[in-house]
Amino acid sequence: MLDKAAHENFPVAPFFLPRAWRTDLMAVYGYARLVDDIGDGDLAPGGADAELLGLERDRADDALAMLDAFETDLRRVFQPAAEPRHPLLRALCPTVHRHGLAQEPFLGLIEANRQDQRIRRYATYQDLLDYCELSANPVGRLVLGITGTASPERTRRSDAICTALQIIEHLQDVAEDLRRDRVYLPAEDMKRFGVTEADLAAPRGGVRLRALVAKEAERAAALLNEGTPLVGSVHGRLKVLLAGFVAGGRAALRAVAAAGHDVLPGPPRPTKLSLLREVGATLRREG
């Protein structure tokens, strides 16, 4: 589960951070990744996770039952003298108690994945933003909690960055999401650009779809710009980490643009060199 961190658009817990931060960030990442894998049906075969959570192995494919059981186990993290059943939640306990983290961000990630089971299309851009409030923004708030830097203004900036990163990921994964019977392109925008779901299933993106992707990428870039002052509000290694988050989004957007905004043949991914360049550019702007 934790090995998947290397495949994200942004650095999860890079080597230059203090060891305690790296441990805590990876604990939060492991939690978030497992919740997403439950919601997406991507758990390792065999039903071991279901058994760990107290379910029969044959219920591992029941995402809602798994999420309910996972929430029950999560609540043990916050109960005195209670020990979670799942090892990733046991690994989370020291992080939660060391920093006094609240339940709400963790519960938000579970609720986002419940929503994925019920809602597979989004009518408006605002509906998508509301979804990102559950699916993405809690992660940034947890990073601020772990690093002891939370404030209302920083939380607002962090939310903008996290929402942007979520939208960018959806743009990269249009074809994969459709295979899961999910569409994260707002229906109002698809209608405006004359894009149908049949267009999303094509081998390559047509002119109208590429124009739509370009529009959503523009919105994500604006959110990144709104959130970027967060980088300049902190110091030291945390500044570099947050610059990495912003840079990961910008490098991914450059990869999407370099593909002509045609995301259907496969997810456009940034290179490590492009990520490093964006980190440097972000630090110069926010230095």
Side-chain angles (χ1 to χ4, degrees):
M1 186 70 65
L2 298 181
D3 287 343
K4 295 182 179 182
H7 303 290
E8 300 291 348
N9 279 332
F10 51 86
V12 173
F15 70 92
F16 58 79
L17 293 179
R19 179 176 297 179
W21 281 10
R22 293 202 309 270
T23 299
D24 292 334
L25 290 170
M26 287 303 293
V28 167
Y29 175 81
Y31 172 87
R33 185 70 267 168
L34 180 56
V35 174
D36 280 352
D37 282 357
I38 291 173
D40 290 341
D42 287 341
L43 293 174
D49 288 290
E51 189 170 38
L52 283 167
L53 294 172
L55 293 174
E56 298 294 331
R57 283 177 176 260
D58 60 7
R59 299 195 69 189
D61 292 333
D62 185 340
L64 287 173
M66 287 285 291
L67 290 167
D68 288 347
F70 195 66
E71 179 178 331
T72 297
D73 207 28
L74 168 69
R75 292 186 183 277
R76 295 187 180 102
V77 174
F78 297 89
Q79 294 169 359
E83 183 177 21
R85 301 172 61 107
H86 200 285
L88 279 176
L89 289 177
R90 290 198 295 272
L92 186 64
C93 287
T95 296
V96 165
H97 299 311
R98 184 158 43 241
H99 302 287
L101 301 179
Q103 290 187 73
E104 284 72 22
F106 297 101
L107 292 171
L109 294 172
I110 293 176
E111 189 56 36
N113 279 273
R114 285 200 184 99
Q115 186 167 312
D116 276 334
Q117 311 309 308
R118 305 189 305 266
I119 301 174
R120 296 180 177 271
R121 307 290 188 276
Y122 289 85
T124 68
Y125 181 63
Q126 184 58 53
D127 290 339
L128 186 63
L129 294 180
D130 293 342
Y131 169 71
C132 292
E133 175 69 19
L134 295 171
S135 68
N137 298 358
V139 176
R141 296 179 186 189
L142 289 170
V143 171
L144 294 178
I146 287 170
T147 58
T149 54
S151 72
E153 178 64 11
R154 285 178 176 148
T155 298
R156 184 179 73 80
R157 302 287 189 184
S158 171
D159 286 352
I161 293 170
C162 290
T163 292
L165 293 175
Q166 179 77 88
I167 291 172
I168 293 165
E169 183 178 341
H170 288 328
L171 293 179
Q172 291 172 302
D173 294 339
V174 166
E176 179 182 342
D177 288 335
L178 185 66
R179 288 192 290 271
R180 298 179 188 273
D181 191 28
R182 293 175 185 165
V183 177
Y184 294 101
L185 296 169
E188 64 180 4
D189 296 340
M190 290 177 63
K191 182 178 180 180
R192 173 185 166 196
F193 282 85
V195 173
T196 68
E197 289 195 19
D199 296 323
L200 306 185
R204 302 196 67 89
V207 173
R208 290 175 296 185
L209 174 57
R210 286 185 278 116
L212 171 57
V213 170
K215 175 60 179 179
E216 305 304 338
E218 180 184 325
R219 282 172 156 170
L223 285 168
L224 280 178
N225 290 338
E226 180 183 340
T228 298
L230 174 65
V231 177
S233 75
V234 299
H235 304 283
R237 287 177 281 188
L238 178 57
K239 179 189 287 284
V240 180
L241 175 67
L242 298 182
F245 293 162
V246 172
R250 287 188 170 142
L253 286 174
R254 286 189 182 276
V256 170
H261 296 98
D262 184 3
V263 296
L264 296 187
R269 302 293 185 194
T271 65
K272 288 185 178 180
L273 179 58
S274 67
L275 174 59
L276 289 173
R277 285 174 174 164
E278 290 292 344
V279 169
T282 301
L283 289 173
R284 286 193 296 274
R285 284 192 294 267
E286 298 300 324

